[in-house]
Amino acid sequence: MLKIENFALCFENERFMLIAEVLFAGGKKINLFADNSSGKTLLLKSIHGDFTKFEGSILIKEKPPLFYKKRKKTILVENHTHLLMNESVWKNIVLPLENISSRQKQKITDLCAIAELNEKIGTKINCLPFSSQKFIELIRAVIQLPYLILIDDMDNFFDGKNLLKALEICEYALNSGSSLLATSKNKMEHFDITCRVQDKRVVIL
């Protein structure tokens, strides 16, 4: 699913976030934790194809991120929200879907129930708290069944019970072969693979 080899971020003549080689199979939940300014965000942007100042190779199903430039197969959930604030929860979730099947409608309803959003389907985004907005972004990502779901600093908006709900929502995509790569400042529980940045190098624990 995701292979990173001989990787190094390059910024202002500095090399950091060094990865000798990692290979993550589909259907896995991966947590990469590290301090701020360690390169976590730039790594996700590199995988997503939005940052190219790196050495080495990134392969998603044996293709580089630029191969998917016109039709993304990764979805990046960032710290700031990407939602239509004056539109409803439902409108924001189904926005990227061309044709919505009855099965997708039911699955969206099920995922919203996990996030306790069922009674807020018609509510405008600007009336909801930040945590609910991030659940909406996550459900929208999951329902598309991308190759990779990338979440930056996941512990900023999902912790405790909300983290368990978020991971339960992700299971829909994971069961179809998607993978989840979530960064955080601290180690998170309930992940299949845990990595940390130590002396600029990514180490699998």
Side-chain angles (χ1 to χ4, degrees):
M1 170 61 79
L2 174 64
K3 182 178 182 180
I4 305 175
E5 194 171 26
N6 300 320
F7 179 86
L9 289 172
C10 305
F11 191 71
E12 295 183 351
N13 298 320
E14 182 182 1
R15 296 173 78 253
F16 57 101
M17 187 63 77
L18 307 174
I19 303 175
E21 183 178 9
V22 293
L23 178 63
F24 299 127
K28 297 297 183 181
K29 302 187 296 290
I30 306 117
N31 173 218
L32 171 63
F33 71 97
D35 296 333
N36 288 335
S37 302
S38 61
K40 302 190 302 289
T41 298
L42 290 180
L43 173 63
L44 294 189
K45 286 181 177 292
S46 299
I47 296 170
H48 192 54
D50 288 346
F51 186 80
T52 58
K53 294 181 180 178
F54 62 83
E55 299 173 358
S57 65
I58 297 172
L59 297 177
I60 302 167
K61 286 203 170 182
E62 300 183 355
K63 303 289 185 182
L66 289 178
F67 178 81
Y68 304 106
K69 186 175 182 179
K70 290 186 178 180
R71 187 163 183 171
K72 291 280 190 183
K73 294 298 184 180
T74 57
I75 295 178
L76 174 59
V77 179
E78 301 179 90
N79 271 282
H80 54 281
T81 55
H82 293 275
L83 296 170
L84 301 176
M85 303 305 289
N86 290 314
E87 298 290 350
S88 68
V89 170
W90 182 264
K91 178 68 176 290
N92 274 277
I93 291 174
V94 303
L95 191 63
L97 304 178
E98 295 180 4
N99 298 301
I100 309 169
S101 66
S102 57
R103 181 180 179 183
Q104 285 177 315
K105 288 180 180 178
Q106 183 58 54
K107 180 51 64 175
I108 291 170
T109 300
D110 294 343
L111 298 177
C112 284
I114 295 171
E116 299 181 11
L117 288 169
N118 262 358
E119 296 181 0
K120 301 174 182 176
I121 286 291
T123 303
K124 291 184 178 180
I125 299 299
N126 57 15
C127 298
L128 297 175
F130 180 70
S131 59
S132 294
Q133 294 177 16
K134 301 315 288 185
F135 270 120
I136 292 162
E137 284 192 294
L138 181 62
I139 293 169
R140 184 173 65 189
V142 163
I143 201 68
Q144 295 178 69
L145 301 177
Y147 292 163
L148 279 166
I149 299 170
L150 308 167
I151 304 181
D152 195 18
D153 279 336
M154 190 174 187
D155 52 350
N156 273 0
F157 34 87
F158 296 132
D159 58 5
K161 291 182 179 179
N162 278 346
L163 175 60
L164 293 176
K165 292 177 186 177
L167 293 178
E168 185 178 353
I169 289 169
C170 288
E171 285 298 326
Y172 171 66
L174 295 171
N175 290 336
S176 296
S178 300
S179 290
L180 168 66
L181 173 55
T183 65
S184 60
K185 290 184 290 296
N186 301 295
K187 179 182 177 182
M188 295 192 293
E189 301 298 326
H190 312 294
F191 281 76
D192 302 312
I193 301 168
T194 300
C195 312
R196 71 173 300 173
V197 178
Q198 185 174 327
D199 296 328
K200 299 184 179 181
R201 297 184 178 278
V202 172
V203 178
I204 298 178
L205 302 181

